[in-house]
Amino acid sequence: AFHDYRVMFDKAAKEFDGVIIATPDHTHAVISMDAIANGKHIYCQKPLAHSLHEVRTVTEAARAAGVQTQMGNQGHSSNNMRLVKEWVEDGAIGKVREVHAWSDRPVGGDPWSDFPMMGRPKDTPPVPDSLNWDLWIGPAPMRPYHPVYHPLTWRGFYDFGTGPLGDMGCHILDPSFWALDLGHPDWVQASSTHTGDEASLETYPRATVVKYHFPERSKQQPAVDLTWYDGRIKPVIPEFLPGDMPLHNNGALIIGDKGAILHKSHGAGSAELLPASRRAEYSDPKPYLPRIEQTEDAHEQDWIRACKDGRPASSSFEYGGALTEMVLIGVLAIRMKDQRLEWDGEALEITNNKAANALVNPPYRKGWSL
């Protein structure tokens, strides 16, 4: 066992073929880059990295190295994901121009149940003997240890996590991103609770609404407005759906001109084709997307299979990186509350706001680099 992954690579790299990275968001990229430099296959939990620049750098490095990768948006290996994509591509709900997605985080669910909504703690309790605090901080700005950060609630702090959208967006937005071939949004804007106080300088808001606009991709793929809600805010149910229809705590509505798809988190769980009248008249297409054997660890096993046979895993960094970039430009918009950000995804640049663009590639603490 090693405290320092860098020492592990130096002393034991010949003893293993791949790594699983399950550290906080802010150290995903530096560990991934060391793994790539050592020729290791990588399974990295979502989101792929903490900043947009990190995501693009890791994605390109993995591609150049030819290592097999998988991001831990486990639902992407589910068969419901494939069914939803087949429905959309078959025209089951017609042309899609609107998506609504939501999560109960940070109000509901670990590791958010005790989310503090606070500024930086003033007290400085001793670091536990079992914790290397300097290494845990990694490339982030140094601050004193406090148990409010670790374990659990680091996700809520700007320096370490990516908030509810970064946490759950890689699960909940995955079906829409894949089925609709969304790519890069051209603009994004967010509104939220608390701002202008000490807490707003340290932690993500209690609740947010983020609006994305995706341009037309083809004649069959018109422009899409996608709205994200968290903190237990949910969208208004469209008139053509039952007014008493329950919306899951975490899920999405993909709305077309012939109907809608309602699903839960993690790979379009419990996907439903709505309304009932459209479900009754529509026949599912013959499955054409390759299925993955459905086991408890299907996503992890898909990565292991990729390491052995060289055929990319279902959410390799080529896909998982693109999904994470879409999620993180929304996270960045939350930090620039109420300001519409024009986004050039190919160039990885916010073209109308210098302060926001500086957060695309924030500086590392001295001694750390990609």
Side-chain angles (χ1 to χ4, degrees), residues 40-75:
K40 305 304 177 186
H41 305 304
I42 306 171
Y43 182 107
C44 183
Q45 294 294 352
K46 52 78 205 162
L48 184 55
H50 189 253
S51 75
L52 287 150
H53 171 76
E54 288 178 332
V55 175
R56 184 68 60 86
T57 301
V58 168
T59 300
E60 292 177 347
R63 181 191 307 135
V67 295
Q68 295 301 322
T69 58
Q70 182 89 302
M71 186 172 79
N73 51 324
Q74 291 81 1

Side-chain angles (χ1 to χ4, degrees), residues 193-228:
T193 56
H194 82 273
T195 186
D197 54 18
E198 186 178 4
S200 71
L201 301 176
E202 295 284 344
T203 57
Y204 290 92
R206 177 71 69 175
T208 64
V209 177
V210 183
K211 176 75 171 287
Y212 292 86
H213 181 269
F214 296 87
E216 177 182 280
R217 281 85 65 222
S218 71
K219 289 184 179 180
Q220 298 304 313
Q221 297 174 311
V224 172
D225 289 320
L226 184 155
T227 307
W228 166 268

Side-chain angles (χ1 to χ4, degrees), residues 329-357:
I329 187 60
V331 173
L332 198 156
I334 291 170
R335 298 187 65 173
M336 307 300 294
K337 179 182 175 181
D338 298 330
Q339 300 181 51
R340 173 166 158 157
L341 305 181
E342 305 289 339
W343 178 236
D344 182 343
E346 292 297 328
L348 212 67
E349 180 182 8
I350 295 169
T351 59
N352 67 329
N353 188 311
K354 290 184 178 180
N357 197 54

